[in-house]
């Protein structure tokens, strides 16, 4: 759950990257960074904090060049320390390189141990640095061959942007867990100006037109001097031998992505509205109004209200100057921020039977506090309806749920969760119902973008079925209580 953004052949590339990162701020709030190149050297500015805090006008003016990549970070591996802030820069075979990564390398512990035992000096504790070390140690001759070599050594989720003085490379792992899209801006000098982004909402902000998604297993190279592109696809034979399948993270549509983003060619807002409709059909309840837990729950609540015929009302107000509580790194910060972030509209909910729609329940912190707030405001009944299945298993592909014991649905039944949350009733969208919703969009959109939509969805956080053997092994060890 990070955000990456890149742009080529654009005046003020650092400022365009800055705007792109602003649009992706919801994907990571711990740090931000931008690297630029003038096709000779790479300049980087990065620090902990929000995009607005990290970059001032003077910082951006020092980032010279018409090509840039950027990153906003949400830590899942290594913690929030300065050495882990991206983009990460290095020299490989005499070539300056800068790299931004969205995802999580599940075999990072094994790679780190091997590198350290081989004498490598590692500066960071995150998994991203390991990619550069694999490339640097590769015996391949060309840069793209070194990049391909690292691709073959990695297991897990990685959507990468790699910037050199001559090229920008976009890489997506063979399963395609995390989104990465290609766009194009108008340019009068005859050389294409390409944009790459974790979400299309950033393209909208900078005036780029969506072209396509980077396909699972693809390495797209862009020659900076000419704008020419070349696509390389990961060896499909080896892909099959590893018994991997295309597995797009379904949680991108449930929670992560901004509602105005096309994610794998499906508008997140439309997908969430349909989830709400499906939730209403399968989990009805008699009530006076439907309200949402903003922001991701809003289209779900509107869909539920439409399908049920129960009026939709604004019952909770969100303070938008507070970050996303789910992706805060520590529990004590989450507890404090829920009350700071949300406030009930007392005159709306007082004395009413309320259906509260939320996207998910992970640790249960937010849901319990919301119900408490609504009770204090005078709500007569509070019925929780969740537009996704119970989250029971840790994600090893870029979500901060490392321990099963932290997940409410892992330690409680639905009835126990209802009692713990102090709701009148609690119901979830089932995994099959959620998959049916997404399949309906996939079928209708297939002709628009067949390459990115082929394959299935990763639902490991609901089912415990991991595509990657290493992640499956980790999940089994944790199940036995060894972690």
């Amino acid at each position: 759950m990070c955000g990456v953004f890149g742009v080529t052949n654009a005046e003020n590339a650092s400022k365009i990257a800055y705007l792109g990162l602003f649009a992706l701020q919801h994907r990571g709030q711990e740090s931000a960074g931008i690297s630029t190149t003038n096709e000779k050297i790479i300049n980087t500015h990065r620090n902990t904090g929000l995009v607005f805090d990290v970059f001032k006008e003077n910082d951006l003016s020092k980032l010279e060049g018409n090509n840039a990549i950027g990153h906003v970070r949400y830590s899942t591996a290594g913690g929030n320390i300065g050495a882990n802030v991206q983009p990460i820069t290095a020299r490989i075979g005499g070539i300056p390189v800068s790299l931004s990564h969205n995802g999580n390398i599940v075999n990072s512990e094994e790679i780190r141990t091997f590198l350290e035992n081989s004498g490598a000096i590692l500066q960071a504790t995150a998994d991203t640095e390991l990619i550069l070390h694999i490339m640097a140690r590769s015996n391949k001759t060309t840069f793209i061959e070194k990049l391909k070599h690292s691709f073959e050594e990695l297991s897990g989720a990685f959507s990468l942007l790699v910037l050199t003085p001559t090229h920008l490379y976009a890489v997506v792992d063979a399963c395609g867990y995390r989104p990465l899209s290609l766009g194009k801006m108008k340019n009068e000098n005859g050389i294409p100006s390409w944009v790459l982004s974790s979400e299309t909402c950033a393209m909208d902000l900078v005036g780029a037109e969506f072209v396509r998604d980077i396909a699972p297993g693809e390495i797209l190279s862009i020659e900076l001097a000419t704008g020419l592109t070349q696509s390389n696809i990961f060896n499909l034979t080896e892909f099959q031998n590893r018994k991997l399948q295309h597995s797009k993270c379904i949680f991108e549509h449930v929670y992560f992505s901004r509602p105005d983003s096309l994610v794998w060619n499906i508008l997140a807002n439309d997908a969430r509205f349909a989830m709400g409709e499906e939730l209403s059909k399968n989990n009805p309840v008699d009530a006076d109004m439907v309200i949402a837990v903003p922001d991701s729950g809003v289209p779900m609540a509107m869909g539920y209200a439409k399908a049920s015929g129960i009026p939709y009302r604004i019952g909770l107000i969100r303070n938008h100057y507070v970050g996303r509580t789910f992706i805060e790194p520590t529990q004590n910060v989450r507890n404090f921020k829920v009350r700071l972030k949300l406030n009930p509209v007392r005159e709306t909910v007082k004395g009413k039977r309320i259906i509260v729609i939320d996207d998910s329940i992970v640790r249960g912190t937010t849901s319990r506090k919301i119900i408490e707030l609504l009770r204090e405001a005078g709500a007569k009944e509070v019925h929780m309806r969740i537009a996704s299945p119970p989250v029971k298993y840790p994600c090893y592909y870029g979500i901060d749920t490392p321990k099963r014991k932290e997940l409410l649905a892992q330690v409680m039944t639905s009835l126990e969760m209802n009692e713990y949350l102090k709701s009148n009733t609690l119901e979830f969208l089932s995994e099959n119902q959620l998959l049916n919703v997404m399949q309906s969009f996939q079928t209708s959109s297939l002709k628009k973008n067949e390459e990115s939509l082929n394959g299935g969805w990763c639902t490991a956080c609901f089912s415990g079925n991991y595509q990657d053997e290493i992640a499956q092994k980790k999940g089994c060890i944790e199940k036995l209580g060894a972690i």
Side-chain angles (χ1 to χ4, degrees), residues 219-295:
I219 301 176
L220 176 72
S221 63
I222 302 173
E223 187 175 313
L224 301 182
T226 64
L228 296 177
T229 64
Q230 182 176 348
S231 178
N232 300 270
I233 301 296
F234 185 63
N235 188 295
L236 293 179
T237 302
E238 184 168 345
F239 178 75
Q240 293 297 329
N241 289 342
R242 290 168 70 179
K243 299 179 181 179
L244 302 176
Q245 298 178 5
H246 294 170
S247 299
K248 305 179 293 292
C249 173
I250 205 164
F251 222 71
E252 288 281 352
H253 275 291
V254 171
Y255 174 76
F256 287 150
S257 301
R258 251 177 53 167
D260 53 336
S261 286
L262 275 173
V263 184
W264 295 299
N265 213 44
I266 300 171
L267 186 65
N269 186 78
D270 290 351
R272 290 171 187 164
F273 190 93
M275 291 174 199
E277 290 182 305
E278 188 73 11
L279 185 62
S280 174
K281 294 173 185 176
N282 292 280
N283 298 287
V285 63
D286 190 21
D288 300 312
M289 66 178 67
V290 178
I291 71 170
V293 178
D295 286 323

Side-chain angles (χ1 to χ4, degrees), residues 133 177 376 415 438:
H133 276 271
Y177 290 107
E376 290 176 359
L415 290 176
M438 299 312 300

Side-chain angles (χ1 to χ4, degrees), residues 34-35 42-44 46 85-91 96-99 132:
I34 293 174
S35 291
I42 290 179
N43 298 296
T44 300
R46 57 181 193 162
V85 179
Q86 299 183 40
I88 294 178
T89 58
R91 294 183 70 86
V97 180
S98 188
L99 184 148
L132 293 174

Side-chain angles (χ1 to χ4, degrees), residues 49 78 100 134 175 204 296 314 332 336 343 460:
S100 293
I134 295 173
C175 289
D204 296 337
S296 49
I314 297 176
N332 61 334
F336 172 73
N343 192 50

Side-chain angles (χ1 to χ4, degrees), residues 59-128:
D59 301 317
L60 295 172
S61 65
K62 292 179 181 178
L63 293 172
E64 298 178 351
N66 294 337
N67 310 282
I69 63 170
H71 187 270
V72 287
R73 185 165 190 264
Y74 150 63
S75 60
T76 57
N80 187 26
I81 63 173
N84 291 335
V85 179
Q86 299 183 40
I88 294 178
T89 58
R91 294 183 70 86
I92 298 176
I95 300 173
V97 180
S98 188
L99 184 148
S100 293
H101 170 212
N102 174 28
N104 203 48
I105 308 302
V106 298
N107 61 337
S108 61
E109 293 178 10
E110 294 85 347
I111 295 173
R112 181 177 297 277
T113 299
F114 171 79
L115 290 172
E116 289 177 342
N117 291 340
S118 301
I121 299 174
L122 303 176
Q123 302 293 323
T125 56
D127 53 2
T128 304

Side-chain angles (χ1 to χ4, degrees), residues 301-427:
M302 295 176 71
Y304 191 102
K306 179 185 176 182
S308 66
I310 300 172
Y312 169 74
R313 296 287 184 267
I314 297 176
L316 289 166
I317 300 297
R318 177 183 171 185
N319 182 343
H320 285 85
Y321 295 95
V322 181
R324 303 180 83 169
T325 53
F326 168 60
I327 63 174
E328 288 293 338
T330 58
Q331 185 66 30
N332 61 334
V333 176
R334 292 188 200 101
N335 284 329
F336 172 73
K337 281 198 171 180
V338 172
R339 190 172 287 269
L340 183 64
K341 174 182 173 181
L342 295 167
N343 192 50
V345 183
R346 292 181 176 272
E347 294 306 313
T348 299
V349 304
K350 186 176 181 180
K352 297 295 192 297
R353 300 169 300 164
I354 301 169
I355 303 172
V356 181
I357 309 296
D358 204 355
D359 53 77
S360 59
I361 293 179
V362 180
R363 297 172 178 88
T365 303
T366 301
S367 299
R368 184 180 169 98
K369 289 290 183 181
I370 286 170
I371 293 170
E372 180 182 315
L373 289 173
L374 291 169
R375 298 282 192 199
E376 290 176 359
K380 184 178 180 181
E381 295 177 8
V382 181
H383 302 273
M384 289 294 295
R385 294 294 181 268
I386 309 301
S388 66
V391 177
K392 292 184 177 181
Y393 300 90
C395 175
Y396 300 108
Y397 305 122
I399 306 176
D400 186 21
T401 53
K403 303 293 183 182
R404 287 174 68 171
K405 64 183 180 181
E406 295 181 13
L407 306 174
L408 194 65
Q410 180 59 227
V411 297
M412 295 184 184
T413 66
S414 294
L415 290 176
E416 290 171 336
M417 291 172 67
N418 183 52
E419 184 177 351
Y420 169 77
L421 297 175
K422 299 182 180 180
S423 47
N424 289 88
T425 62
L426 170 67
E427 299 290 347

